Amino acid sequence: MPLPEPDSDALAASHALQQLIANEIEQHDGSITFARFMELALYAPRLGYYSGGAAKLGRDGDFTTAPEITPLFGAALARVTASIIAQSAPNILEFGAGTGKLARDVLAALAADGVAIDSYAIVELSGELRARQQEALADFPQVRWLDGFPDAFSGVVLANEVLDAMPVELVTKTPAGWRQVMVTVADGRFVFADRAPDAALAAHIGRQIPDAELLAIGYLTEVHPVAAGFMATLARMLEGGAGAAILFDYGFPAHEYYVDDRTGGTLMCHYRHHAHPDPFYLPGLQDITAHVDFTAMALAAQDAGVDVLAYMSQAGFLLGAGIGELLLRTDPQDALRYLPQANAVQKLVSPSEMGELFKVLVVGKDVELPAPIAAADRSHRL
């Protein structure tokens, strides 16, 4: 595999995590679920990808997110945020805040428009990213960090590329029915095995995969019980107040997710800006993600008591939020400043870049979205 070689310290950390996972496999009769493998690979204390100390984002990391591309992303999001908090409370809660750039851009844009925020809370599992956030947000005293969900919340919840990093269950269709993909060890390496799903996973399969009986034998895909549980908890947190959660991620509605030609699922790994499909490559040093089933996320939130306010492409959301107008605050005649920003906006909204692959799901209670955002709604396609 032509991927960059890690340094000796990173390699030693990966070997330590591999041993930890192998020990857990041994303690559980020789196999663990893929979701548990993914959880350990990403979040094992001090060794997992998100809980370890390596840089995740930007030039020195493994991938770049929309807020890192241009501050206009945060400025556009701030416009929608201002509308929602005017109907609820001046509070923002962000999950997985990355380098802190989105928080900084949103807070700066709101301050420039005279919108005061009482509290900006961040839930962050990565110690390395939390440290970067604390440095980046030192000028904003209303920012605080939480270790988990508050019991109740009113205001705006933000989550950019959070759902895709939640552990997924892999399932495969066999002549005997759906099987749950497991991880075991053979000849010193992690390999896949399978077993019959338990009742809870079988229910997820039945609910998430439309027309499952029409899919071919050998079809491999993901279901998302952890992310669905996150959405249910998020909904219950919002249920007692007023506000909305805005979630950006890449994915599809169920009828586009589980299609005949996507026979190998959507699981993908990211290592130093290289994408590849092997989740067993250097555990702890690479990101492991899967596309989001937005139908399942919307249903989980709705079942837990909040409304699906909108679902749309990232392009539809950003254009409705006025990112084009924000871009034009830079004089197009000033090519040195304007062209980099125009290129960044193009990357965010172009159908061939991030504009269509990335979607936005908005769920909430007792608030209305700005008319241009509501006009871009495609929730009928969920």
Side-chain angles (χ1 to χ4, degrees):
M1 184 176 295
L3 295 174
E5 288 294 327
D7 62 33
S8 58
D9 289 343
L11 194 59
S14 180
H15 287 162
L17 178 58
Q18 291 174 56
Q19 187 59 55
L20 183 151
I21 296 171
N23 291 343
E24 177 148 333
I25 288 172
E26 184 178 2
Q27 293 163 11
H28 288 79
D29 299 323
S31 67
I32 57 175
T33 67
F34 180 79
R36 179 58 177 162
F37 171 87
M38 186 171 171
E39 179 183 4
L40 291 170
L42 297 180
Y43 302 110
R46 298 180 302 280
L47 296 174
Y49 179 76
Y50 284 107
S51 53
K56 311 296 185 295
L57 299 169
R59 183 178 302 175
D60 297 326
D62 301 305
F63 54 91
T64 299
T65 62
E68 306 295 320
I69 295 172
T70 172
L72 296 180
F73 180 88
L77 183 53
R79 287 183 155 197
V80 182
T81 297
S83 174
I84 296 170
I85 64 174
Q87 304 170 63
S88 54
N91 304 312
I92 300 173
L93 172 62
E94 184 178 0
F95 287 91
T99 63
K101 191 172 186 306
L102 178 59
R104 187 176 184 86
D105 290 342
V106 167
L107 285 168
L110 290 171
D113 289 340
V115 180
I117 298 297
D118 289 349
S119 171
Y120 195 116
I122 294 174
V123 178
E124 179 58 66
L125 299 180
S126 167
E128 180 263 335
L129 289 176
R130 183 182 285 209
R132 293 177 71 177
Q133 293 159 16
Q134 290 169 340
E135 181 178 353
L137 297 167
D139 295 337
F140 296 95
Q142 65 269 63
V143 179
R144 59 195 178 97
W145 281 262
L146 305 177
D147 293 324
F149 282 89
D151 292 334
F153 180 81
S154 291
V156 174
V157 180
L158 304 177
N160 181 59
E161 292 195 54
V162 170
L163 295 172
D164 68 90
M166 294 186 178
V168 296
E169 293 288 2
L170 294 182
V171 296
T172 186
K173 190 174 183 183
T174 75
W178 288 97
R179 303 280 289 179
Q180 180 179 17
V181 174
M182 308 291 288
V183 178
T184 187
V185 177
D187 298 324
R189 296 177 177 273
F190 296 124
V191 296
F192 290 125
D194 65 76
R195 72 176 183 189
D198 62 19
L201 182 57
H204 274 284
I205 295 169
R207 187 172 196 193
Q208 275 199 239
I209 305 178
D211 301 321
E213 69 281 359
L214 301 180
L215 297 174
I217 300 300
Y219 193 92
L220 175 74
T221 192
E222 309 89 21
V223 291
H224 306 75
V226 174
F230 172 88
M231 292 299 299
T233 303
L234 180 67
R236 288 191 290 269
M237 180 189 75
L238 288 169
E239 190 179 11
I246 307 172
L247 302 104
F248 293 80
D249 230 309
Y250 47 90
F252 313 99
H255 67 90
E256 295 177 14
Y257 197 115
Y258 304 103
V259 293
D260 290 342
D261 58 358
R262 192 169 287 120
T263 58
T266 71
L267 196 78
M268 188 58 61
C269 305
H270 300 273
Y271 176 69
R272 298 192 186 177
H273 295 278
H274 292 71
H276 69 91
D278 182 6
F280 300 144
Y281 180 76
L282 295 178
L285 302 188
Q286 66 171 358
D287 195 14
I288 307 173
T289 73
H291 284 52
V292 175
D293 174 352
F294 280 103
T295 301
M297 300 306 104
L299 287 172
Q302 186 174 273
D303 289 349
V306 298
D307 299 320
V308 175
L309 301 178
Y311 166 75
M312 65 196 69
S313 68
Q314 178 173 284
F317 183 93
L318 292 176
L319 293 171
I323 198 170
E325 177 189 330
L326 292 169
L327 172 63
L328 289 176
R329 291 181 179 179
T330 301
D331 184 355
Q333 299 300 317
D334 184 355
L336 193 62
R337 294 178 59 239
Y338 178 80
L339 287 179
Q341 294 286 10
N343 289 337
V345 170
Q346 175 73 6
K347 184 176 181 64
L348 293 178
V349 304
S350 170
S352 62
E353 298 268 3
M354 298 174 70
E356 282 295 327
L357 176 61
F358 278 74
K359 309 299 195 307
V360 185
L361 177 65
V362 188
V363 301
K365 185 177 179 184
D366 297 334
V367 295
E368 294 184 1
L369 296 177
I373 300 295
D377 179 35
R378 299 181 187 173
S379 56
H380 63 279
R381 295 179 59 179
L382 288 169

